Amino acid sequence: MKRNLEIKHLFLSHFDKPVTELKFSNLYELIVCVMLSAQCTDKRVNLITPELFKAYPSIKDLANARLNSLKSYIQSCSFFNNKATNLIKMAKAVCEDFGGEIPLNEKDLKSLAGVGQKTAHVVLIEWCGANFMAVDTHVFRVAHRLDLSKAKTPEATEEDLTRIFKDNLNYLHQAMVLFGRYTCKAKNPLCEQCFLAHLCKSKDKKA
């Protein structure tokens, strides 16, 4: 569909090979950051992680963490109780089942506690440049406002976007995240600044 190809082209041209705003220096830090970012802002995660990674600099250190101590480092993060439990379980599984090496395939990643499809895809997108789409709240909103999907779930929305765009999904995912975060915001979208305004018929559109 011509309109969808134009949307794809505009995303790729306005965002030049975009990457996540999460700050990490290795694969271990990346998976922790992505797990913490669920229903929490990247900005908040980036405030938490410097001290967290000082306390637990490796996957082995995290596997041996005491739950209450770990909670104290991430308590300003949403759902920190569940996340602390899952982080330790994830780290233990990596050490026990994968020889201390975080797996880089979707099936094994999803076997880890706290790692669903979106988290697995974001890790593979950011670390490997994998041709995956991941649907967070921003991507879900943008996809529906642009009438790229009418699906009710993130997983089904991901299927629609993957079918429509086919390639460059890693960059398109991050472009849609940034676009949703800064332009096509949930409240008060900046429609007058939007490079896709001429293609948008959303009821949320501001004339």
Side-chain angles (χ1 to χ4, degrees):
M1 191 173 163
K2 190 178 175 184
R3 176 180 174 275
N4 293 344
L5 286 173
E6 185 177 356
I7 289 172
K8 178 181 180 179
H9 170 73
L10 287 168
F11 270 130
L12 292 174
S13 60
H14 277 79
F15 295 93
D16 183 24
K17 297 184 177 177
V19 294
T20 181
E21 293 185 312
L22 291 169
K23 293 177 180 170
F24 62 92
S25 56
N26 54 50
L27 180 55
Y28 157 64
E29 292 185 2
L30 172 60
I31 194 169
V32 171
C33 286
V34 178
M35 289 175 69
L36 288 174
S37 72
Q39 295 177 284
C40 184
T41 65
D42 287 4
K43 189 175 180 182
R44 167 59 51 192
V45 173
N46 289 337
L47 290 173
I48 292 169
T49 48
E51 290 304 313
L52 176 66
F53 293 140
K54 267 190 207 168
Y56 310 105
S58 73
I59 195 84
K60 188 176 179 182
D61 293 311
L62 186 61
N64 293 321
R66 292 172 58 127
L67 183 60
N68 284 336
S69 295
L70 178 57
K71 284 182 184 179
S72 71
Y73 285 97
I74 67 169
Q75 62 187 352
S76 65
C77 188
S78 55
F79 306 103
F80 73 93
N81 286 308
N82 283 345
K83 287 177 181 178
T85 300
N86 283 333
L87 282 167
I88 292 173
K89 284 182 180 176
M90 178 276 293
K92 284 183 185 297
V94 168
C95 291
E96 292 167 9
D97 301 336
F98 299 101
E101 298 290 328
I102 294 162
L104 285 171
N105 67 79
E106 183 179 4
K107 179 174 173 284
D108 288 341
L109 279 170
K110 286 168 67 175
S111 75
L112 302 172
V115 179
Q117 184 159 302
K118 179 179 78 75
T119 297
H121 282 193
V122 172
V123 168
L124 293 168
I125 286 167
E126 295 300 332
W127 195 254
C128 307
N131 189 46
F132 279 128
M133 177 58 65
V135 176
D136 67 357
T137 182
H138 300 298
V139 176
F140 188 86
R141 180 174 65 256
V142 169
H144 286 73
R145 281 181 173 170
L146 288 172
D147 200 27
L148 296 169
S149 176
K150 295 188 185 331
K152 299 287 194 286
T153 66
E155 293 79 13
T157 303
E158 180 197 303
E159 288 178 15
D160 286 341
L161 293 173
T162 300
R163 187 181 67 256
I164 289 167
F165 292 143
K166 295 184 175 60
D167 56 21
N168 287 296
L169 298 179
N170 53 329
Y171 296 133
L172 286 161
H173 153 73
Q174 194 57 50
M176 291 177 79
V177 170
L178 295 172
F179 178 69
R181 187 174 290 161
Y182 297 113
T183 303
C184 194
K185 299 188 284 187
K187 294 178 181 176
N188 302 314
L190 305 180
C191 300
E192 70 282 358
Q193 299 175 21
C194 178
F195 59 85
L196 293 170
H198 63 295
L199 297 169
C200 179
K201 294 175 181 168
S202 170
K203 60 180 174 49
D204 299 328
K205 185 178 178 183
K206 299 186 184 300

